[in-house]
Amino acid sequence: MTRHDLLAAWRNYLQQSRRRSPHTVRAYCSAAQRLLEHFDLTEWPAVATIPPASLRTFMANRRSDGIGNVSAARELSAIKGFMAFAREQAGMENAAPPRIRGPRIKKGLPRPVTPDDASNLADLVGQDAREAWIGARDRAVLLMMYGGGMRIAEVLSLTGADYPLGETLRVTGKGNKQRVVPVLPVVREGIADYVAKCPWKIDSDGPLFLGAKGGPLSAGMVRKAMARARIALGLPATATPHALRHSFATHLLGAGVDLRSLQELLGHAGLGSTQIYTRVDAATLLETYRKAHPRGSD
């Protein structure tokens, strides 16, 4: 076999069997390629039996290249997955990854935006575009993320067959996990406005959201549009498209939605990922208290 054969099999497994996002596939394949090149490996058994000590040295070299704790942890996770896959390909019974501890990562709290800021961002994105239909498109995308708690990749994966939208929408998220999300009237109206103005034909088997030349809309274009609006409104750099999903979760929790229901709406595999929003809500409440209470700054 060749190095290319190993990477092709790994890429196909991630795409077809695990249904990983394009971004994750690229990152995991890049990590595997660096590993193969470092050890000059071209066979599955050799990949599967890399000694832990050698792997620690490899990761130490990666750290000396300047990658931080988060990047190092992700790379180690990708490599462990690749080695487990190599064990399966080599026919080994034990597919457990090597027992190497990654760097500790201090998890930061999500940074949601306020309901007013979310609305202003969507409106300004709609007004700031060079063409009316592009503004309507970008506004509809942001409204879907905030109104339904959807990831940007989930919104951009919608097809013409999903239109017109009803009161709910079945979404396929990470790990091929399906969930039902609400579609608010303002979101349906925003999408209908975009579809009516779009100069390109939206096919039932093609993407619902189209780029300027009629191809699939890229996530990068949405991020750029929101960055321009964020700067114009004087909002912090944390006001990204994904922050709208955080805002959806935080605002629902503050309105009394229970954690289990929120977990289902967000498509989290475990409740632990959802519980972080209780910390966000508590932090927001404390900040409000400090600003409003006469002794809050003492």
Side-chain angles (χ1 to χ4, degrees), residues 121-189:
L121 280 165
D123 289 343
L124 187 56
V125 160
Q127 299 164 11
D128 191 48
R130 64 181 184 273
E131 295 183 48
W133 80 270
I134 291 178
R137 177 201 68 193
D138 293 347
R139 180 175 182 270
V141 170
L142 297 191
L143 286 175
M144 285 212 71
M145 295 187 69
Y146 177 58
M150 296 174 66
R151 302 176 179 92
I152 191 168
E154 294 168 348
V155 175
L156 299 185
S157 69
L158 298 179
T159 68
D162 293 311
Y163 183 80
L165 277 69
E167 293 184 352
T168 60
L169 175 68
R170 184 168 293 278
V171 176
T172 301
K174 286 185 176 181
N176 206 30
K177 181 178 175 61
Q178 289 195 332
R179 69 185 190 279
V180 175
V181 300
V183 183
L184 302 175
V186 66
V187 177
R188 293 199 297 272
E189 292 165 7

Side-chain angles (χ1 to χ4, degrees), residues 110 246 249-250 253 266 268 273-281:
H246 294 323
T250 306
L253 188 63
L266 292 171
H268 286 159
S273 298
T274 314
Q275 286 175 325
I276 192 172
Y277 291 107
T278 62
R279 294 169 57 196
V280 176
D281 198 49

